[in-house]
């Protein structure tokens, strides 16, 4: 099947080419993100493959439909970048990769905690300048600390297990608490307000929906412990970035590890080293010594990339053969879930 693959980098192409040996699709790679402006590139392709920071809105979908596209295969777990209601109107099917490697994302979340707590970036920079002083590098033991895990899907569960391994008291919040998981691991499901008020560290592993957008706003931050550490490897807009800046300035938030950012589109995955950063909020976040930002790289392991490629291409093959799409996302499902 002919597939237009957008927003591709070398690591994407390597993984897709390796997986495609089994499927034999005709993959054409486009470096730009899929947007209204780039959608005409897909004319004549029955399928497009998009990534999480593409803009597959109603206008883009209309252009894709007019050009003959019938399938949007998102090589990501998130699908908030696709207007599902517009896809339904244009009779476009949408698939995603619901699971690629929960370990990759969960381990990155914990790496952010450890790096912030033990001041690894600052220590690394010091010793490269022959500064071997330990002043300002004091951290804390994770053992005995209370960690809040918001969302106990596949990724959140792995994160909870890792934190339990450090000897942490783990509080969990999920819209569908799992009593069996609670008993097995020895975690406790609590209300979100209770988690916010009790946790020393809070790690977010939930999707972005209208209900979860800015879940962490100024009011939520005020309910948290002074000195709380926030870790976000979920979706950027779960956190109100301006409110976070204010809480960091006041010292109420003790640290933040962010692999995602609410206005990351057009910034993350790009080399902007020769330009002036236009996002004032992101620029301000990067000035804090207790903030660590990575560029949406939590998924970036060999295992995860291979799984993403395999699942994406298998879905395209199923569509081509008229078989059921196991990882299809439909507007009515999302609306019903709310």
């Amino acid at each position: 099947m002919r597939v237009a693959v957008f927003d591709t980098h070398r690591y994407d192409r390597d993984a897709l080419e390796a997986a495609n040996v089994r499927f034999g699709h005709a993959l054409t790679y486009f470096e730009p993100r899929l947007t209204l402006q780039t959608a005409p590139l897909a004319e004549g392709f029955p399928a497009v493959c998009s990534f999480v920071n593409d803009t597959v809105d109603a206008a883009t979908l209309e252009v894709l439909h007019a050009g003959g596209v019938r399938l949007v295969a998102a090589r990501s777990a998130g699908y908030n970048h696709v207007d599902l209601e517009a896809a339904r109107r244009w009779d476009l099917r949408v698939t995603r990769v619901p699971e690629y490697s929960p370990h990759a994302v969960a381990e990155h979340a914990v790496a952010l905690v450890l790096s912030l707590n033990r001041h690894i970036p600052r220590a690394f920079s010091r010793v490269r300048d022959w500064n071997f002083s330990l002043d300002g590098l004091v951290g804390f033991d994770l053992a005995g600390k209370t960690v809040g895990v918001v969302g106990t899907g596949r990724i959140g569960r792995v994160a909870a297990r890792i934190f339990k391994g450090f000897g942490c008291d783990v509080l969990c919040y999920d819209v569908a608490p799992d009593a069996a998981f609670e008993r097995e691991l020895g975690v406790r499901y609590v209300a979100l307000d209770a988690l916010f008020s009790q946790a020393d560290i809070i790690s977010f592993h939930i999707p972005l929906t209208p209900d979860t957008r800015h879940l962490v706003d100024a009011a939520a931050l005020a309910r948290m412990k002074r000195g709380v550490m926030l870790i976000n490897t979920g979706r950027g807009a779960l956190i109100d970035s301006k409110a976070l800046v204010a809480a960091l300035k006041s010292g109420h938030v003790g640290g933040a590890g962010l692999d995602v950012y609410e206005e990351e589109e057009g910034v993350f995955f790009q080399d902007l080293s020769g330009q002036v950063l236009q996002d004032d909020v992101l620029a301000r976040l990067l000035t804090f010594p207790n903030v660590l930002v990575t560029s949406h790289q939590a998924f970036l392991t060999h295992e995860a990339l291979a799984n993403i490629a395999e699942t994406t291409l298998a879905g395209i093959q199923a569509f081509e053969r008229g078989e059921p799409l196991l990882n299809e996302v439909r507007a009515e499902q999302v609306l019903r879930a709310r």
Side-chain angles (χ1 to χ4, degrees):
M1 190 167 181
R2 297 185 65 230
V3 185
V5 188
F6 285 85
D7 198 5
T8 58
H9 301 269
R10 184 177 62 187
Y11 48 82
D12 296 305
R13 300 181 188 191
D14 289 346
L16 286 165
E17 287 300 319
N20 198 40
V21 170
R22 184 164 78 88
F23 296 99
H25 296 303
L27 306 179
T28 299
Y29 299 102
F30 296 101
E31 186 174 338
R33 293 183 299 115
L34 177 55
T35 64
L36 175 61
Q37 289 71 37
T38 61
L41 294 171
E43 184 173 358
F45 290 86
V48 297
C49 181
S50 72
F51 195 48
V52 68
N53 278 336
D54 294 342
T55 304
V56 194
D57 55 14
T60 302
L61 289 166
E62 182 177 0
V63 173
L64 293 176
H65 177 269
V69 172
R70 295 295 176 264
L71 173 70
V72 177
R75 60 183 192 278
S76 59
Y79 50 84
N80 55 283
H81 63 293
V82 181
D83 187 329
L84 295 177
E85 293 190 62
R88 178 173 57 183
R89 289 197 304 272
W90 291 112
D91 194 27
L92 287 165
R93 310 284 292 276
V94 180
T95 61
R96 67 174 181 133
V97 183
E99 180 180 6
Y100 37 89
S101 174
H103 299 280
V105 181
E107 289 170 9
H108 191 80
V110 178
L112 290 173
V113 172
L114 294 171
S115 297
L116 279 168
N117 175 33
R118 304 309 298 268
H119 308 284
I120 301 301
R122 189 186 304 181
F124 174 78
S125 296
R126 280 189 186 183
V127 297
R128 289 178 66 86
D129 290 332
W130 313 121
N131 179 356
F132 300 97
S133 167
L134 299 182
D135 291 336
L137 302 183
V138 179
F140 55 80
D141 290 355
L142 281 181
K145 296 299 183 294
T146 299
V147 176
V149 176
V150 180
T152 53
R154 298 177 182 91
I155 297 171
R157 290 176 188 229
V158 174
R161 291 182 186 279
I162 298 173
F163 285 121
K164 285 294 288 187
F166 277 102
C168 300
D169 179 24
V170 178
L171 304 178
C172 296
Y173 168 79
D174 197 282
V175 293
D178 187 334
F181 177 69
E182 186 176 40
R183 289 192 301 270
E184 175 200 350
L185 195 60
V187 300
R188 289 184 291 140
Y189 278 96
V190 298
L192 189 60
D193 279 350
L195 186 151
F196 281 172
S197 64
Q198 297 176 37
D200 302 299
I201 300 164
I202 304 175
S203 189
F204 294 90
H205 304 283
I206 55 176
L208 178 64
T209 68
D211 294 330
T212 62
R213 182 177 180 82
H214 285 183
L215 181 72
V216 179
D217 56 11
L221 289 165
R223 296 196 298 273
M224 297 177 187
K225 281 186 175 182
R226 185 171 182 84
V228 66
M229 180 187 294
L230 302 180
I231 304 296
N232 190 8
T233 55
R235 287 293 177 267
L238 297 174
I239 297 178
D240 181 337
S241 300
K242 292 181 180 178
L244 176 60
V245 168
L248 286 162
K249 287 172 66 177
S250 71
H252 188 76
V253 169
L258 309 174
D259 186 57
V260 289
Y261 171 66
E262 61 179 319
E263 300 296 338
E264 70 181 56
E265 182 181 318
V267 178
F268 283 14
F269 306 108
Q270 310 298 319
D271 180 0
L272 305 180
S273 57
Q275 303 178 34
V276 175
L277 185 61
Q278 298 298 313
D279 189 317
D280 292 343
V281 177
L282 178 57
R284 184 68 179 95
L285 283 169
L286 292 172
T287 67
F288 289 101
N290 55 342
V291 172
L292 180 55
V293 176
T294 53
S295 184
H296 207 137
Q297 73 176 74
F299 76 100
L300 199 64
T301 66
H302 292 296
E303 293 83 356
L305 288 169
N307 290 338
I308 290 169
E310 177 78 16
T311 302
T312 301
L313 297 180
I316 293 171
Q317 182 181 73
F319 177 82
E320 181 182 29
R321 294 177 174 178
E323 298 171 352
L325 300 183
L326 300 179
N327 299 315
E328 184 172 12
V329 191
R330 300 189 180 196
E332 55 267 29
Q333 295 171 333
V334 176
L335 292 174
R336 187 165 58 245
R338 291 173 56 196

